[in-house]
Amino acid sequence: MDVTQPIRFPVTQKAVSLDIKGNKTEIVISKYDDRFLVIVTQIGCMGTILHARKEESVSTDPTYNVSVVFGKRDEPWLLACGRQLIEHISCSDSSRHLVLSLGLKDHSPGTLKDIALAVINNRLW
């Protein structure tokens, strides 16, 4: 008799639902071998997608590159949120990149600060 072990999904993930500034907010954090995928939505879809990474240099302090893959390119607070998260990831000695999806009703600095805090409190790094 052949007994097969159940195959576990190879990606560690965490999902949380919370209220941020009166908006139901869903957060899914996935840990892949080379990056983290963080999806935050208040509108039920992905929204603006950012890519963030730490760039090492021998002669200078590290820099952080955050770019819009697609979506709103004129929202500096979205970039600031991505930068805060990649800095936090890097400070935990992880070299993984970050792919961040923000589908938000509210793009205010307070909302984005609360989102970053919620992701950090539920981190997988």
Side-chain angles (χ1 to χ4, degrees), residues 96-108:
R96 289 180 173 91
H97 292 196
L98 170 67
V99 176
L100 174 63
S101 171
L102 297 168
L104 306 176
K105 292 179 182 177
D106 177 9
H107 293 177
S108 70

Side-chain angles (χ1 to χ4, degrees), residues 72-85:
K72 294 183 179 261
R73 296 185 185 277
D74 59 346
E75 295 276 347
W77 291 110
L78 299 181
L79 296 172
C81 183
R83 181 180 170 96
Q84 182 178 5
L85 291 174

